[in-house]
Amino acid sequence: MKSLLHIWWLSAIKALLLLVFGIICLIRPLETAEALAMWLGLLLVIDGVFTLGAVTARWKLRDDRWMLLIDALFGLALGGILLAYPQITLMVIVICIAGWFVLTGLFRIMQAVAIRREIEGEGWLIVGGMLQMLFGSVLVFYPDLVIGTLTVVFGIFATLSGIILLVVALRFRNLFRNREND
């Protein structure tokens, strides 16, 4: 706990970065969508650097040093990939989501056909499955729909996470100052 109090300002910087990222996503979702992977990659790299700095600064005092080291290295690696291939990353996300909708829709239709002798109303499963397949197909043809929505979701998440982390950082700062004065 002492090491977290000592580096409260790192959490505050991370919180401010999350807030900036979140607000940009919410204000300009479609424009930000193209840069989302790069922003997220940059955020992960910065977070990885700060986490690496935090864990190495007090290496011997931390019981969780290996967990934080893995966290930092994973963030750096994933951030680097997102920075190197942002367009591919966004399209892979859209294709995965669209594929999921198409496959689960198909499975619902197959399930309805399999249980049609045992239950009435299997038509609703078929309609639901067809709607899922239709929605998945729409996503393939209109990927900006998914990318824009994901940008807004990331914006909400980052803004709320930034606010929470800032509150925690400020509390750490107050605890740190109170312990220094004692």
Side-chain angles (χ1 to χ4, degrees), residues 17 36-48 79-80 82-83:
L17 289 171
L36 178 62
M38 291 186 70
W39 273 100
L40 188 56
L42 184 60
L43 183 67
L44 287 172
V45 167
I46 291 169
D47 181 62
L82 289 173
L83 286 171

Side-chain angles (χ1 to χ4, degrees), residues 27-138:
I27 291 174
R28 301 279 218 191
L30 293 178
E31 292 86 351
T32 306
E34 292 180 14
L36 178 62
M38 291 186 70
W39 273 100
L40 188 56
L42 184 60
L43 183 67
L44 287 172
V45 167
I46 291 169
D47 181 62
V49 168
F50 282 139
T51 303
L52 193 59
V55 74
T56 56
R58 302 268 184 181
W59 182 259
K60 292 184 180 184
L61 299 175
R62 298 195 68 101
D63 294 332
D64 59 351
R65 61 182 165 258
W66 291 107
M67 182 178 59
L68 286 175
L69 181 63
I70 291 169
D71 178 22
L73 295 176
F74 184 73
L76 287 168
L78 184 58
I81 291 169
L82 289 173
L83 286 171
Y85 306 105
Q87 295 84 8
I88 294 171
T89 304
L90 289 173
M91 288 314 295
V92 166
I93 291 170
V94 171
I95 289 169
C96 288
I97 292 170
W100 179 81
F101 274 107
V102 170
L103 284 176
T104 58
L106 179 62
F107 292 148
R108 292 242 165 88
I109 292 169
M110 291 168 56
Q111 179 186 24
V113 170
I115 65 169
R116 73 177 180 267
R117 290 188 185 108
E118 300 172 26
I119 189 172
E120 282 189 37
E122 79 280 359
W124 289 108
L125 275 176
I126 292 172
V127 169
M130 291 172 64
L131 285 173
Q132 279 186 264
M133 292 179 70
L134 176 65
F135 186 68
S137 300
V138 167

